């Protein structure tokens, strides 16, 4: 029961963070309020929906309207407080990173609750964290961020591995979740701050 409560809290926080990220991207494209809400919903529930379908359970947002309400709150936050958020140049990036880390942890915890091994849980965490961003970018006709050279999905993987190591060492689930969250965020922030990237593939003509 305690773990279910923790998962629900993490999913709500992740929903709000990701929804704000998606709505701000939509605002940059001058979408109307409904279009912004759709983008917010897509990025907020997309990854978790794919995860739940793969786990063979009802998608989390279909069990309660709170996630739709949470996205509506995110829309109103952007609409009414956007002018104060705008001077924060990388506000959308911060919210996107918070959502990435929170949903990664939610994906891992829910997969473990369904009896999946840790290597599957890490993959599910990565899907939960990054798939919503892919759906958002497709809707906005942008190149998905996970295909960029900058570290994005790999931050989920490393955060998931940290979660696994701490859990195996016997740490409490709260400590494990917090450290995994901070690890994912720090990796993402440092990668962007210092332009850390993975090697790129080269075609035959580039060699």
């Amino acid at each position: 029961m305690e773990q279910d409560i923790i998962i629900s809290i993490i999913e709500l926080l992740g929903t709000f963070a990701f929804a704000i990220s998606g709505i701000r991207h939509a605002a940059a494209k001058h979408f109307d309020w409904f279009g912004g809400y759709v983008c917010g919903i897509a990025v907020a529930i997309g990854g978790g929906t794919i995860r739940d379908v793969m786990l063979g359970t009802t998608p989390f947002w279909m069990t309660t309207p709170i996630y739709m309400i949470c996205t509506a709150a995110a829309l109103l936050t952007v609409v009414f407080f956007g002018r104060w958020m705008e001077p924060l140049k990388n506000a959308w990036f911060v919210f996107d990173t918070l959502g990435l880390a929170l949903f990664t942890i939610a994906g891992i915890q829910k997969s473990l609750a369904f009896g999946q091994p840790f290597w599957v849980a890490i993959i599910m965490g990565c899907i939960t964290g990054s798939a919503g961003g892919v759906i958002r970018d497709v809707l906005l006709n942008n190149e998905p961020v996970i295909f960029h050279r900058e570290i994005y999905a790999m931050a989920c993987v490393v955060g998931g591995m940290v979660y696994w190591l701490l859990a195996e060492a016997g740490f409490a689930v709260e400590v494990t979740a917090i450290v995994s969250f901070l690890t994912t965020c720090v990796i993402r922030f440092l990668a962007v701050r210092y332009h850390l990237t993975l090697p790129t593939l080269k075609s035959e003509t580039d060699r």
Side-chain angles (χ1 to χ4, degrees), residues 140-158:
L140 295 172
N141 198 29
N142 294 331
E143 181 182 6
V145 68
I146 66 169
F147 297 150
H148 296 177
R149 291 191 302 165
E150 65 184 47
I151 295 174
Y152 187 77
M154 282 303 299
C156 302
V157 175
V158 176

Side-chain angles (χ1 to χ4, degrees), residues 21-154:
S21 170
I23 293 166
R24 285 181 59 82
H25 276 77
K29 293 271 188 174
H30 304 291
F31 283 23
D32 62 17
W33 286 21
F34 180 75
Y37 183 79
V38 170
C39 286
I41 283 289
V43 69
I45 71 172
T49 299
I50 295 174
R51 173 204 64 208
D52 289 346
V53 169
M54 295 179 71
L55 290 176
T57 186
T58 302
F60 68 101
W61 59 270
M62 296 177 67
T63 61
T64 172
I66 189 62
Y67 299 101
M68 300 298 172
I69 296 172
C70 187
T71 303
L75 175 64
L76 294 177
T77 299
V78 173
V79 169
F80 293 108
F81 300 102
R83 68 174 63 183
W84 289 279
M85 297 171 66
E86 191 61 33
L88 305 175
K89 291 184 178 180
N90 293 319
W92 70 265
F93 165 71
V94 172
F95 282 114
D96 189 67
T97 300
L98 294 177
L100 180 73
L102 290 167
F103 269 24
T104 297
I105 296 169
I108 291 173
Q109 290 184 330
K110 191 163 189 176
S111 299
L112 292 175
F114 273 75
Q116 298 295 331
F118 251 111
W119 66 271
V120 173
I122 292 174
I123 294 174
M124 288 296 182
C126 185
I127 290 174
T128 308
S130 61
V134 174
I135 297 173
R136 174 202 64 206
D137 291 338
V138 170
L139 288 175
L140 295 172
N141 198 29
N142 294 331
E143 181 182 6
V145 68
I146 66 169
F147 297 150
H148 296 177
R149 291 191 302 165
E150 65 184 47
I151 295 174
Y152 187 77
M154 282 303 299

Side-chain angles (χ1 to χ4, degrees), residues 90-101 150-152 155 181-196:
N90 293 319
W92 70 265
F93 165 71
V94 172
F95 282 114
D96 189 67
T97 300
L98 294 177
L100 180 73
E150 65 184 47
I151 295 174
Y152 187 77
F181 168 80
L182 293 176
T183 299
T184 305
C185 288
V186 168
I187 290 174
R188 178 77 174 127
F189 288 141
L190 291 178
V192 172
R193 173 65 179 82
Y194 295 104
H195 306 289
L196 304 177

